[in-house]
Amino acid sequence: MEKELKLYMVLLGCTPKGRLTEQHDIFFGVATSLEALIPDMYAFWADSGTIHIDAWREVTQVGNYNISMVPKNKLVQKDKLFFINMGGYKQGDFEEYHYKILTVANTMGEAVKEAKASAFYKHYGFEGAVSHIDDKYALDADDLHNVQDVLPPHIKKQYNIKITPTTAVVEDILHIGYLKLKESRLFNS
């Protein structure tokens, strides 16, 4: 029996050589397991530092939509899966906080509208340090991406993200915590 391909969202961390603090980035990959993504994660993080995972999830549902991977075809769907990384501030904290969301929308504008309705957007800003506003989309999301566009090139050539409406809303499990790629109990069991 062939294992099902899954879309993964992974928060990678690393302290690159010559840097003082840990850096983070989001990696989207497609595989039958988290372990199978390791080569793509290292290719994604082109730096020679040692990367680790700080959080991950199998993306199976976003809001009222099921998310699955299908072989590349002429799949026509108006909805897209968007990843939004917003930045914001708290008075007196020497820090920029980030909030990452996935949303299903027809356009970037609709995705931004949902992001602006989030509690993060409303509460992580103050006069002189607002929750990132920009002219193009009325939200300066640090990053706003169609997930299909940021998949590894060899995956984009072979697979599409399929988005299907559902009434059974079940939230994905978020796996939070430091996980070394080479020494993890997850990968060495």
Side-chain angles (χ1 to χ4, degrees):
M1 183 173 161
E2 192 173 317
K3 289 187 176 183
E4 178 183 357
L5 288 173
K6 302 169 195 168
L7 175 63
Y8 288 88
M9 177 178 171
V10 182
L11 176 62
L12 294 174
C14 177
T15 303
K17 291 181 180 183
R19 299 296 175 101
L20 298 177
T21 61
E22 182 177 332
Q23 312 290 298
H24 292 94
D25 206 345
I26 294 291
F27 167 79
F28 287 96
V30 176
T32 57
S33 68
L34 185 64
E35 180 179 20
L37 289 173
I38 292 174
D40 284 343
M41 286 187 238
Y42 278 107
F44 172 78
W45 199 288
D47 185 88
S48 58
T50 303
I51 62 173
H52 63 271
I53 295 172
D54 282 310
W56 64 276
R57 78 186 257 194
E58 290 178 20
V59 181
T60 62
Q61 189 158 5
V62 174
N64 294 324
Y65 297 91
N66 286 328
I67 307 297
S68 59
M69 298 307 300
V70 295
K72 191 82 168 178
N73 58 29
K74 296 183 184 194
L75 178 69
V76 177
Q77 58 185 19
K78 60 182 183 173
D79 290 323
K80 296 168 193 68
L81 179 62
F82 289 98
F83 164 69
I84 302 173
N85 179 36
M86 293 184 288
Y89 307 94
K90 291 173 76 176
Q91 188 88 36
D93 280 3
F94 190 75
E95 186 65 61
E96 179 185 7
Y97 296 94
H98 288 92
Y99 182 64
K100 295 153 183 50
I101 64 169
L102 291 175
T103 187
V104 172
N106 290 319
T107 65
M108 281 190 179
E110 288 177 16
V112 165
K113 185 177 178 182
E114 183 171 325
K116 287 179 72 174
S118 73
F120 179 88
Y121 184 80
K122 293 175 183 174
H123 299 292
Y124 277 78
F126 54 92
E127 188 173 330
V130 295
S131 291
H132 297 24
I133 301 293
D134 105 6
D135 296 333
K136 189 171 183 183
Y137 297 111
L139 169 68
D140 177 15
D142 280 352
D143 299 287
L144 173 64
H145 302 281
N146 178 342
V147 175
Q148 180 73 41
D149 294 341
V150 296
L151 291 173
H154 68 280
I155 296 296
K156 279 195 292 193
K157 289 178 186 174
Q158 297 179 52
Y159 301 100
N160 284 328
I161 297 172
K162 184 177 180 185
I163 302 167
T164 311
T166 184
T167 56
V169 178
V170 179
E171 291 194 27
D172 290 340
I173 297 170
L174 302 180
H175 303 269
I176 311 295
Y178 187 90
L179 183 64
K180 286 185 177 181
L181 294 185
K182 292 185 178 183
E183 300 172 15
S184 165
R185 67 190 180 289
L186 176 70
F187 302 133
N188 294 317
S189 51

